[in-house]
Amino acid sequence: MKKAGGSSFQKRIIVALDTADLIQAKKLVCSLKDVITIFKIGTELFTAHGPKAVETIKSLGGEVFLDLKYHDIPNTVAQSARQAVRLGVFMFNVHIPGGLQMMQEACVAAADEARKLKIPTPKLIGVTLLTSLSQEEVAKQIGIPKPLVDVVLHYAELAQKAGLDGVIASAREIEKIRARFGPKFLIVTPGIRPVWAERGDQERVMTPREALRLGADYLVIGRPITQADEPREAASRIFEEL
Ligand code: C5P
């Protein structure tokens, strides 16, 4: 399998293994590994199977984005970051509203642990606002009455200041983040829906082609591929559209 980090589309699509069934996850990785390099393990699969899930995907040749979205006091997140590094993941993330100190301590801990283990430091990404949230929900439920894009840009600024490698943001904020934070700041975008796919619970969605055109580095795609009758074909169809 090709390794992550190159420039082809195949290395820029991350498939979300949103299942509690490790056998099912293994089947997906096996059927997709010729076309997909990075697989995302989220809270569902990790809660069910723990580090074994990461080991399994890696043993099949995949790179892992560990999407556990840490959000806790700085010391707890820093120690969790060390454990994420020890799992040998390619990328992991924290929630930006955890604050500057939490993010800074996570960065320092990850770099220190990777140095001790003599392995590359995983990319540390900050979650801005969940792409399932609408403007109205952020205002009325979370109590932030600002335009979503302003909230996201403010969070991205905090993430960059803390030393994170980039952010997770919806496709609608890509252009502004890219313009303000430069070409090296990674933008990871979920809520991706090819024109032929169901939107599901995602609110701020965009097609893969458009998201890459606007400047996303990585696209996270779950259900349009994993729930397809033929995941391999769905992935190929997305690549054709790109
Ligand atoms: O199935 P779908 O393509 O909607 O999956 C999107 C994936 O991206 C899910 O695993 C979800 O947890 C994740 N995600 C997201 N919004 C964020 C961060 C992560 O949808 N802001």
Side-chain angles (χ1 to χ4, degrees):
M1 186 191 291
K2 296 168 199 82
K3 290 286 158 193
S7 60
S8 79
F9 290 138
Q10 296 188 6
K11 293 167 188 165
R12 296 172 65 187
I13 305 263
I14 301 174
V15 170
L17 299 172
D18 288 329
T19 169
D21 181 347
L22 192 52
I23 309 277
Q24 165 69 6
K26 266 170 96 169
K27 276 189 196 152
L28 270 167
V29 174
C30 289
S31 70
L32 292 167
K33 65 183 187 177
D34 294 338
V35 288
I36 298 289
T37 307
I38 312 169
F39 295 90
K40 184 172 85 67
I41 295 179
T43 49
E44 186 180 359
L45 189 57
F46 198 82
T47 303
H49 297 281
K52 192 177 166 208
V54 179
E55 284 154 24
T56 304
I57 304 314
K58 287 184 68 186
S59 74
L60 295 171
E63 300 270 359
V64 172
F65 167 18
L66 189 63
D67 180 24
L68 298 183
K69 301 187 181 75
Y70 298 132
H71 189 172
D72 209 315
I73 59 170
N75 181 61
T76 303
V77 171
Q79 298 310 325
S80 306
R82 286 187 187 276
Q83 297 309 317
V85 173
R86 296 187 78 84
L87 292 176
V89 299
F90 167 74
M91 180 184 277
F92 72 104
N93 57 5
V94 298
H95 266 297
I96 297 172
L100 191 63
Q101 192 190 341
M102 184 203 82
M103 290 189 280
Q104 282 168 335
E105 290 194 21
C107 278
V108 171
D112 182 61
E113 196 66 27
R115 188 185 46 77
K116 280 189 197 151
L117 297 170
K118 297 187 174 63
I119 57 170
T121 308
K123 298 189 188 310
L124 180 48
I125 306 293
V127 181
T128 54
L129 281 174
L130 297 176
T131 44
S132 53
L133 291 170
S134 67
Q135 177 76 64
E136 200 190 350
E137 285 169 317
V138 172
K140 289 195 180 152
Q141 295 171 19
I142 304 181
I144 309 177
K146 286 192 199 167
L148 288 189
V149 67
D150 292 351
V151 181
V152 170
L153 287 172
H154 173 71
Y155 284 169
E157 193 174 344
L158 212 56
Q160 194 178 48
K161 195 169 165 192
L164 264 57
D165 295 295
V167 289
I168 302 189
S170 98
R172 296 192 201 166
E173 293 107 32
I174 296 171
E175 247 179 324
K176 288 199 169 143
I177 294 173
R178 182 59 70 223
R180 186 170 319 171
F181 302 100
K184 289 191 182 153
F185 195 60
L186 297 177
I187 304 174
V188 181
T189 303
I192 295 298
R193 291 290 178 271
V195 275
W196 42 267
E198 300 270 338
R199 189 162 111 170
D201 58 356
Q202 293 286 17
E203 192 60 41
R204 290 169 289 141
V205 297
M206 197 172 277
T207 65
R209 186 188 169 112
E210 188 64 359
L212 287 180
R213 190 188 67 76
L214 292 173
D217 294 289
Y218 296 98
L219 306 182
V220 175
I221 307 183
R223 287 162 289 183
I225 293 178
T226 59
Q227 302 294 308
D229 292 338
E230 297 288 342
R232 175 77 163 71
E233 266 176 37
S236 301
R237 202 168 158 195
I238 289 171
F239 288 124
E240 275 162 28
E241 287 171 18
L242 294 175

